[in-house]
Amino acid sequence: MEQTVSNLWKKEFRHTVSVLAGGFILMQLASYFVSLAVAQVTHAARIWLSMDAWTFINDICLYGLGLPLLMLMSQDLPSGAKMPLRPQKAMRPKQFFRVLCISYAVVVLANIVTTMLTSFLHGSNDLVSGMMEEISPFGGFVLMSLVPAIGEELVFRGYLYKKLIRFGEKPYIMLSALFFATFHGNLEQAGYAFALGLWLAYLVCRTGSVVYGVMIHLFINFLSGAVLSQIGNTTAGGLISYLMLAMVAAGCVFLFRLRKKLVVRPAQRPVPDAVSLAVGNLGMVLWLILFLLLAVTSLWM
Protein backbone atom coordinates (compact mmCIF):
# COMPACT_ATOMS: atom_id res chain seq x y z
CA MET A 1 0.00 0.00 0.00
CA GLU A 2 2.79 2.44 0.92
CA GLN A 3 4.61 1.65 -2.33
CA THR A 4 1.43 2.37 -4.31
CA VAL A 5 0.99 5.75 -2.59
CA SER A 6 4.64 6.60 -3.29
CA ASN A 7 4.27 5.73 -6.96
CA LEU A 8 1.12 7.85 -7.24
CA TRP A 9 2.92 10.77 -5.57
CA LYS A 10 5.83 10.46 -7.99
CA LYS A 11 3.41 10.30 -10.90
CA GLU A 12 1.66 13.43 -9.63
CA PHE A 13 4.99 15.27 -9.34
CA ARG A 14 6.10 14.23 -12.81
CA HIS A 15 2.75 15.26 -14.29
CA THR A 16 2.87 18.65 -12.57
CA VAL A 17 6.39 19.41 -13.83
CA SER A 18 5.51 18.25 -17.34
CA VAL A 19 2.38 20.42 -17.53
CA LEU A 20 4.24 23.47 -16.23
CA ALA A 21 7.01 22.91 -18.76
CA GLY A 22 4.40 22.64 -21.51
CA GLY A 23 2.88 25.90 -20.31
CA PHE A 24 6.25 27.64 -20.50
CA ILE A 25 6.73 26.27 -24.02
CA LEU A 26 3.41 27.81 -25.07
CA MET A 27 4.30 31.05 -23.32
CA GLN A 28 7.69 31.29 -25.03
CA LEU A 29 6.54 30.23 -28.50
CA ALA A 30 3.45 32.47 -28.48
CA SER A 31 5.58 35.45 -27.50
CA TYR A 32 8.23 34.62 -30.09
CA PHE A 33 5.90 34.11 -33.05
CA VAL A 34 3.72 37.14 -32.30
CA SER A 35 6.83 39.31 -31.98
CA LEU A 36 8.12 37.84 -35.24
CA ALA A 37 4.81 38.58 -36.96
CA VAL A 38 4.93 42.19 -35.75
CA ALA A 39 8.49 42.48 -37.04
CA GLN A 40 7.48 41.14 -40.45
CA VAL A 41 4.51 43.50 -40.70
CA THR A 42 6.49 46.57 -39.68
CA HIS A 43 9.30 45.65 -42.05
CA ALA A 44 6.90 45.16 -44.97
CA ALA A 45 5.16 48.46 -44.17
CA ARG A 46 8.55 50.17 -43.71
CA ILE A 47 7.60 51.27 -40.22
CA TRP A 48 10.49 51.99 -37.86
CA LEU A 49 9.92 51.14 -34.21
CA SER A 50 12.09 52.41 -31.40
CA MET A 51 13.67 50.12 -28.81
CA ASP A 52 11.04 51.37 -26.36
CA ALA A 53 8.30 50.20 -28.71
CA TRP A 54 9.92 46.80 -29.26
CA THR A 55 10.38 46.31 -25.54
CA PHE A 56 6.74 47.25 -24.93
CA ILE A 57 5.63 44.73 -27.57
CA ASN A 58 7.83 42.07 -25.99
CA ASP A 59 6.32 42.71 -22.54
CA ILE A 60 2.80 42.55 -23.95
CA CYS A 61 3.57 39.28 -25.75
CA LEU A 62 5.12 37.68 -22.67
CA TYR A 63 2.79 38.81 -19.92
CA GLY A 64 -0.33 39.76 -21.82
CA LEU A 65 -0.42 36.75 -24.13
CA GLY A 66 2.08 34.14 -22.94
CA LEU A 67 1.29 34.23 -19.22
CA PRO A 68 -2.46 33.57 -19.67
CA LEU A 69 -1.55 30.55 -21.82
CA LEU A 70 0.69 29.22 -19.07
CA MET A 71 -2.04 29.66 -16.46
CA LEU A 72 -4.71 28.21 -18.75
CA MET A 73 -2.68 25.08 -19.40
CA SER A 74 -1.86 24.52 -15.73
CA GLN A 75 -5.14 25.66 -14.17
CA ASP A 76 -6.23 22.09 -13.36
CA LEU A 77 -3.07 21.37 -11.35
CA PRO A 78 -3.77 21.28 -7.61
CA SER A 79 -2.37 24.17 -5.58
CA GLY A 80 -0.46 23.59 -2.37
CA ALA A 81 -0.71 27.19 -1.18
CA LYS A 82 -2.00 30.62 -2.07
CA MET A 83 0.07 33.07 -4.08
CA PRO A 84 2.80 34.30 -1.68
CA LEU A 85 2.03 38.01 -1.76
CA ARG A 86 1.77 39.44 1.74
CA PRO A 87 4.92 38.76 3.83
CA GLN A 88 4.38 36.39 6.71
CA LYS A 89 7.68 37.47 8.23
CA ALA A 90 8.61 41.10 7.63
CA MET A 91 12.25 42.11 7.20
CA ARG A 92 13.81 45.00 9.06
CA PRO A 93 15.75 47.49 6.87
CA LYS A 94 19.07 46.11 8.12
CA GLN A 95 18.02 42.57 7.21
CA PHE A 96 16.84 43.63 3.78
CA PHE A 97 20.13 45.40 3.11
CA ARG A 98 22.01 42.20 3.90
CA VAL A 99 19.72 40.19 1.65
CA LEU A 100 20.12 42.77 -1.12
CA CYS A 101 23.92 42.62 -0.89
CA ILE A 102 23.85 38.82 -0.99
CA SER A 103 21.55 38.90 -4.02
CA TYR A 104 23.81 41.26 -5.93
CA ALA A 105 26.91 39.26 -4.99
CA VAL A 106 25.27 36.06 -6.20
CA VAL A 107 24.41 37.68 -9.55
CA VAL A 108 27.83 39.23 -10.11
CA LEU A 109 29.83 36.13 -9.18
CA ALA A 110 27.60 33.83 -11.23
CA ASN A 111 27.82 36.26 -14.15
CA ILE A 112 31.62 36.20 -14.01
CA VAL A 113 31.64 32.41 -14.22
CA THR A 114 29.06 32.38 -17.03
CA THR A 115 30.94 35.04 -19.00
CA MET A 116 34.18 33.06 -18.75
CA LEU A 117 32.46 29.93 -20.02
CA THR A 118 30.51 31.54 -22.86
CA SER A 119 33.52 33.56 -24.02
CA PHE A 120 35.08 30.30 -25.16
CA LEU A 121 32.04 29.65 -27.34
CA HIS A 122 31.49 33.00 -28.99
CA GLY A 123 33.46 35.75 -27.31
CA SER A 124 31.59 38.65 -25.69
CA ASN A 125 27.90 39.06 -26.47
CA ASP A 126 26.26 41.34 -23.90
CA LEU A 127 22.68 41.40 -25.11
CA VAL A 128 21.25 43.51 -22.30
CA SER A 129 23.80 46.34 -22.49
CA GLY A 130 23.32 46.60 -26.24
CA MET A 131 19.57 47.05 -25.77
CA MET A 132 19.97 49.54 -22.93
CA GLU A 133 22.11 51.81 -25.08
CA GLU A 134 19.14 52.28 -27.46
CA ILE A 135 16.30 52.63 -24.97
CA SER A 136 15.07 55.75 -23.20
CA PRO A 137 15.42 56.23 -19.41
CA PHE A 138 11.67 55.68 -19.06
CA GLY A 139 11.81 52.49 -21.08
CA GLY A 140 14.87 51.32 -19.17
CA PHE A 141 13.13 51.71 -15.83
CA VAL A 142 9.55 50.72 -16.61
CA LEU A 143 9.77 48.32 -19.56
CA MET A 144 13.08 46.59 -18.90
CA SER A 145 13.29 46.84 -15.11
CA LEU A 146 9.93 47.26 -13.37
CA VAL A 147 7.69 45.13 -15.60
CA PRO A 148 10.08 42.13 -15.74
CA ALA A 149 10.73 42.39 -11.99
CA ILE A 150 7.02 42.20 -11.16
CA GLY A 151 6.08 39.76 -13.92
CA GLU A 152 8.94 37.32 -13.42
CA GLU A 153 8.65 37.25 -9.64
CA LEU A 154 4.91 36.62 -9.82
CA VAL A 155 5.44 33.81 -12.34
CA PHE A 156 8.64 32.07 -11.28
CA ARG A 157 8.55 32.62 -7.53
CA GLY A 158 4.82 33.20 -6.94
CA TYR A 159 2.87 31.00 -9.35
CA LEU A 160 5.39 28.15 -9.20
CA TYR A 161 5.32 28.32 -5.41
CA LYS A 162 1.56 27.88 -5.56
CA LYS A 163 1.86 24.80 -7.77
CA LEU A 164 5.08 23.18 -6.51
CA ILE A 165 5.43 23.87 -2.78
CA ARG A 166 3.25 20.86 -1.90
CA PHE A 167 6.13 18.68 -3.07
CA GLY A 168 8.56 20.41 -0.71
CA GLU A 169 10.80 23.46 -0.58
CA LYS A 170 13.75 21.82 -2.34
CA PRO A 171 11.86 20.80 -5.53
CA TYR A 172 10.22 24.22 -5.64
CA ILE A 173 13.50 26.11 -5.23
CA MET A 174 15.38 24.02 -7.78
CA LEU A 175 12.64 23.92 -10.41
CA SER A 176 11.71 27.59 -10.14
CA ALA A 177 15.40 28.47 -10.62
CA LEU A 178 15.72 26.09 -13.57
CA PHE A 179 12.62 27.45 -15.30
CA PHE A 180 13.73 31.01 -14.61
CA ALA A 181 17.21 30.44 -16.03
CA THR A 182 16.11 28.62 -19.17
CA PHE A 183 13.26 31.08 -19.79
CA HIS A 184 15.84 33.73 -20.69
CA GLY A 185 16.72 31.71 -23.79
CA ASN A 186 20.44 32.48 -23.85
CA LEU A 187 23.57 31.25 -22.11
CA GLU A 188 24.75 34.73 -21.07
CA GLN A 189 21.85 35.25 -18.68
CA ALA A 190 21.07 31.64 -17.77
CA GLY A 191 23.92 31.25 -15.30
CA TYR A 192 23.25 34.22 -13.07
CA ALA A 193 19.48 33.82 -13.49
CA PHE A 194 19.74 30.30 -12.07
CA ALA A 195 21.83 31.45 -9.11
CA LEU A 196 19.53 34.40 -8.40
CA GLY A 197 16.49 32.17 -8.86
CA LEU A 198 17.73 29.80 -6.17
CA TRP A 199 18.24 32.64 -3.71
CA LEU A 200 14.94 34.45 -4.40
CA ALA A 201 12.94 31.21 -4.19
CA TYR A 202 14.61 30.50 -0.86
CA LEU A 203 13.56 33.97 0.34
CA VAL A 204 9.95 33.20 -0.59
CA CYS A 205 10.13 30.06 1.54
CA ARG A 206 11.45 32.04 4.51
CA THR A 207 9.29 35.17 4.21
CA GLY A 208 6.17 33.81 2.49
CA SER A 209 6.17 36.63 -0.06
CA VAL A 210 7.49 37.68 -3.46
CA VAL A 211 7.53 41.35 -2.40
CA TYR A 212 11.20 41.34 -1.38
CA GLY A 213 12.11 39.47 -4.56
CA VAL A 214 10.38 42.13 -6.66
CA MET A 215 12.36 44.90 -4.96
CA ILE A 216 15.65 43.03 -5.31
CA HIS A 217 14.92 42.11 -8.92
CA LEU A 218 14.04 45.72 -9.74
CA PHE A 219 17.23 46.99 -8.11
CA ILE A 220 19.45 44.55 -10.00
CA ASN A 221 17.71 45.09 -13.34
CA PHE A 222 17.75 48.86 -13.13
CA LEU A 223 21.24 49.25 -11.71
CA SER A 224 23.03 46.68 -13.85
CA GLY A 225 21.11 47.45 -17.02
CA ALA A 226 19.82 51.00 -17.05
CA VAL A 227 22.12 52.97 -14.75
CA LEU A 228 25.54 51.54 -15.59
CA SER A 229 24.88 51.30 -19.32
CA GLN A 230 23.60 54.89 -19.49
CA ILE A 231 26.33 56.45 -17.34
CA GLY A 232 29.16 54.54 -19.01
CA ASN A 233 32.77 55.53 -18.29
CA THR A 234 31.94 58.79 -16.51
CA THR A 235 33.09 59.77 -13.03
CA ALA A 236 29.66 58.93 -11.65
CA GLY A 237 29.81 55.56 -13.37
CA GLY A 238 33.16 54.81 -11.79
CA LEU A 239 31.88 55.79 -8.35
CA ILE A 240 28.81 53.59 -8.72
CA SER A 241 31.01 50.71 -9.88
CA TYR A 242 33.09 51.01 -6.70
CA LEU A 243 29.93 51.05 -4.60
CA MET A 244 28.69 47.93 -6.37
CA LEU A 245 32.03 46.24 -5.77
CA ALA A 246 31.64 47.07 -2.08
CA MET A 247 28.15 45.54 -2.15
CA VAL A 248 29.53 42.35 -3.68
CA ALA A 249 32.21 42.11 -1.02
CA ALA A 250 29.68 42.76 1.74
CA GLY A 251 27.30 40.23 0.22
CA CYS A 252 29.99 37.54 0.25
CA VAL A 253 30.71 38.26 3.92
CA PHE A 254 27.01 38.21 4.84
CA LEU A 255 26.46 34.96 2.95
CA PHE A 256 29.44 33.32 4.65
CA ARG A 257 28.09 34.30 8.06
CA LEU A 258 24.63 33.00 7.23
CA ARG A 259 25.80 29.73 5.69
CA LYS A 260 24.84 27.56 8.70
CA LYS A 261 21.41 29.18 8.98
CA LEU A 262 20.44 28.54 5.36
CA VAL A 263 18.33 25.44 5.87
CA VAL A 264 15.75 24.01 3.49
CA ARG A 265 12.94 22.45 5.43
CA PRO A 266 12.25 18.78 4.65
CA ALA A 267 9.00 17.96 2.89
CA GLN A 268 6.19 16.22 4.74
CA ARG A 269 5.83 13.97 1.71
CA PRO A 270 9.21 13.84 -0.08
CA VAL A 271 9.33 12.85 -3.73
CA PRO A 272 11.71 9.92 -4.33
CA ASP A 273 14.03 10.40 -7.32
CA ALA A 274 12.78 13.99 -7.73
CA VAL A 275 15.68 15.05 -9.98
CA SER A 276 15.26 12.27 -12.53
CA LEU A 277 11.48 12.70 -12.46
CA ALA A 278 11.78 16.45 -12.99
CA VAL A 279 14.19 16.47 -15.93
CA GLY A 280 13.25 13.15 -17.51
CA ASN A 281 9.61 13.74 -18.41
CA LEU A 282 8.47 14.69 -21.89
CA GLY A 283 7.41 18.25 -21.10
CA MET A 284 10.70 19.17 -19.44
CA VAL A 285 12.76 17.49 -22.18
CA LEU A 286 10.94 19.52 -24.85
CA TRP A 287 11.39 22.70 -22.80
CA LEU A 288 15.14 22.12 -22.42
CA ILE A 289 15.45 21.39 -26.14
CA LEU A 290 13.69 24.69 -26.90
CA PHE A 291 16.07 26.49 -24.54
CA LEU A 292 19.13 24.95 -26.22
CA LEU A 293 17.84 25.96 -29.66
CA LEU A 294 17.27 29.54 -28.50
CA ALA A 295 20.61 29.62 -26.71
CA VAL A 296 22.58 28.38 -29.71
CA THR A 297 20.75 30.84 -31.95
CA SER A 298 21.55 33.74 -29.62
CA LEU A 299 25.29 33.02 -29.82
CA TRP A 300 25.33 34.08 -33.47
CA MET A 301 22.91 36.99 -33.27
Side-chain angles (χ1 to χ4, degrees), residues 104-119:
Y104 194 69
V106 165
V107 169
V108 171
L109 295 178
N111 187 44
I112 290 173
V113 174
T114 304
T115 301
M116 291 175 61
L117 294 175
T118 55
S119 63

Side-chain angles (χ1 to χ4, degrees), residues 209-242:
S209 175
V210 298
V211 170
Y212 300 111
V214 170
M215 291 189 290
I216 291 168
H217 202 147
L218 173 60
F219 173 82
I220 292 174
N221 279 2
F222 185 63
L223 181 67
S224 301
V227 174
L228 293 181
S229 63
Q230 293 288 343
I231 293 178
N233 296 322
T234 63
T235 302
L239 179 60
I240 291 177
S241 297
Y242 283 120

Side-chain angles (χ1 to χ4, degrees), residues 152-228:
E152 290 175 0
E153 291 308 308
L154 288 175
V155 173
F156 294 100
R157 256 65 69 182
Y159 188 71
L160 290 186
Y161 180 90
K162 180 179 177 181
K163 296 299 182 182
L164 291 172
I165 195 60
R166 62 197 179 100
F167 300 108
E169 290 185 354
K170 188 174 181 179
Y172 157 67
I173 291 172
M174 296 298 297
L175 284 169
S176 63
L178 178 61
F179 278 125
F180 181 54
T182 49
F183 182 78
H184 285 77
N186 63 79
L187 297 176
E188 288 81 3
Q189 294 176 284
Y192 67 77
F194 181 76
L196 180 63
L198 291 174
W199 175 242
L200 294 183
Y202 177 80
L203 289 182
V204 172
C205 292
R206 296 288 74 84
T207 65
S209 175
V210 298
V211 170
Y212 300 111
V214 170
M215 291 189 290
I216 291 168
H217 202 147
L218 173 60
F219 173 82
I220 292 174
N221 279 2
F222 185 63
L223 181 67
S224 301
V227 174
L228 293 181

Side-chain angles (χ1 to χ4, degrees), residues 72-139:
L72 179 64
M73 185 167 183
S74 57
Q75 65 177 342
D76 292 332
L77 294 176
S79 299
K82 296 180 180 179
M83 284 284 287
L85 300 177
R86 184 176 181 179
Q88 298 175 0
K89 185 177 180 181
M91 285 188 191
R92 296 189 299 272
K94 187 176 181 180
Q95 290 177 312
F96 180 74
F97 176 73
R98 291 174 180 173
V99 167
L100 181 62
C101 288
I102 292 173
S103 304
Y104 194 69
V106 165
V107 169
V108 171
L109 295 178
N111 187 44
I112 290 173
V113 174
T114 304
T115 301
M116 291 175 61
L117 294 175
T118 55
S119 63
F120 289 105
L121 297 175
H122 194 259
S124 178
N125 189 23
D126 194 341
L127 301 174
V128 176
S129 295
M131 294 177 64
M132 296 305 301
E133 291 175 357
E134 302 179 25
I135 201 168
S136 71
F138 171 82

Side-chain angles (χ1 to χ4, degrees), residues 266-289:
Q268 293 182 350
R269 295 180 63 187
V271 180
D273 305 319
V275 174
S276 59
L277 292 173
V279 300
N281 65 76
L282 179 61
M284 182 62 82
V285 169
L286 292 176
W287 170 250
L288 293 177
I289 290 174

